[in-house]
Amino acid sequence: MKFRGNVYRYILKEIESGSKLHFTLIDPEKVQGIDQLEKVLKAVVDAGTDAILIGGSLQVFIDDVEKAVSVVEEFNRPSILFPGSLAGLARNADAILFISLLNSENPYYIIKAHVSAAPIIRRIGLEVLPTGYIIVGNWPTSVSIMGDAKPLPFEKPNIIAAYALAAKYLGMKFVYLEAGSGAPQPVPQNVVSTVKKVIEDTILIVGGGIRTPEKAVEIVNAGADIVVTGTIVEERLDTAVKIIEAIKKR
Ligand code: 1GP
């Protein structure tokens, strides 16, 4: 059954009821057939994942994104585009994380891609989730390379928090702290808590390098509202299920 409704209100309602959310990231480039995707989605939805993000940094092609979205439609969870480029825009999704890469050194990723995308999004009629996207960590990752960003080091939580606060003051509804897909370490607890303390009720999404239930629970306990996992879903579905269950029953 297809998800129906307003995605932002759905997320807010969960958060206001005291829940922590989990989003599963599906990279269309890495999907190995519809059967495999259905199996993965069934497992994560049964475990309690709240929404499916669809996107990637490389080789994303609109046909693949639309195909992935149409499989998500079987599972009554919102499909949210998480585009690495304009090729990640798909007609049939429920919403789009409209991400400004705040610490990019290239204005294209801060605002110019958005200028190109905005009229298309309006025409398609996608719900927009305005998101300040901040790449953090002590190493380059695909997303920092593709987005011309120098990751903000974990040792500078106050600078990371200042970026997040700027996003809040610009009116963005979400702040996404991104350590990068497959990062060797997830965002540390002190960075999450420092950011959450200043952005208060702005919704905090944290992702990148989360591979164990313990780390996921640490991150939500530090103040993340939403945790995203992608790589572990592709590599160890059983562990991904445990991560979701741990977040949901904490
Ligand atoms: C990437 O934050 C997500 O945008 C997920 O990262 O693939 O490391 O889980 P992982």
Side-chain angles (χ1 to χ4, degrees):
M1 202 206 341
K2 186 176 169 14
F3 172 86
R4 304 242 172 243
N6 178 280
V7 177
Y8 180 65
R9 277 202 289 273
Y10 161 82
I11 293 169
L12 206 56
K13 197 168 150 222
E14 287 293 308
I15 292 172
E16 284 172 356
S17 74
S19 296
K20 297 289 187 174
L21 281 74
H22 175 271
F23 288 0
T24 298
L25 173 63
I26 300 291
D27 184 339
E29 188 213 346
K30 295 183 185 147
V31 170
Q32 291 164 359
I34 303 284
D35 291 352
Q36 175 63 13
L37 181 56
E38 280 177 337
K39 181 183 156 207
V40 166
L41 289 173
K42 181 166 182 354
V44 294
V45 167
D46 285 351
T49 201
D50 297 282
I52 312 297
L53 293 183
I54 299 151
S57 297
L58 266 185
Q59 291 195 45
V60 170
F61 182 59
I62 186 163
D63 284 15
D64 299 333
V65 180
E66 288 187 344
K67 238 181 260 164
V69 170
S70 65
V71 179
V72 175
E73 284 176 356
E74 298 166 27
F75 292 90
N76 193 23
R77 287 291 182 282
S79 53
I80 304 174
L81 301 177
F82 182 35
S85 73
L86 295 181
L89 296 176
R91 268 170 290 241
N92 51 349
D94 296 304
I96 180 166
L97 280 189
F98 199 58
I99 43 179
S100 175
L101 206 180
L102 299 177
N103 61 317
S104 177
E105 300 191 331
N106 182 343
Y108 180 80
Y109 296 104
I110 304 170
I111 182 61
K112 204 65 196 279
H114 311 69
V115 173
S116 302
I120 303 172
I121 291 170
R122 182 165 186 258
R123 187 166 153 191
I124 298 173
L126 286 173
E127 182 187 336
V128 171
L129 306 173
T131 304
Y133 192 48
I134 305 167
I135 300 182
V136 296
N138 300 42
W139 43 76
T141 54
S142 299
V143 67
S144 68
I145 295 166
M146 296 306 290
D148 292 339
K150 256 197 227 130
L152 302 175
F154 290 150
E155 293 74 25
K156 299 285 180 197
N158 291 332
I159 294 179
I160 298 170
Y163 270 84
L165 189 58
K168 177 187 173 81
Y169 288 169
L170 283 165
M172 292 168 179
K173 301 269 190 266
F174 298 83
V175 166
Y176 191 147
L177 289 183
E178 173 68 272
S181 190
Q185 264 179 53
V187 184
Q189 273 172 290
N190 70 311
V191 173
V192 176
S193 58
T194 307
V195 167
K196 187 60 183 173
K197 202 170 153 203
V198 299
I199 65 170
E200 299 174 326
D201 56 356
T202 301
I203 300 169
L204 180 58
I205 309 176
V206 178
I210 299 167
R211 292 185 183 78
T212 64
E214 294 74 25
K215 275 284 166 213
V217 169
E218 265 179 37
I219 288 169
V220 293
N221 286 345
D225 298 294
I226 303 172
V227 162
V228 180
T229 56
T231 304
I232 197 74
V233 180
E234 291 152 20
E235 291 178 356
R236 299 275 330 230
L237 186 54
D238 54 337
T239 307
V241 162
K242 289 196 182 106
I243 289 173
I244 300 167
E245 289 170 348
I247 292 169
K248 290 292 156 184
K249 70 162 186 273
R250 74 171 247 298

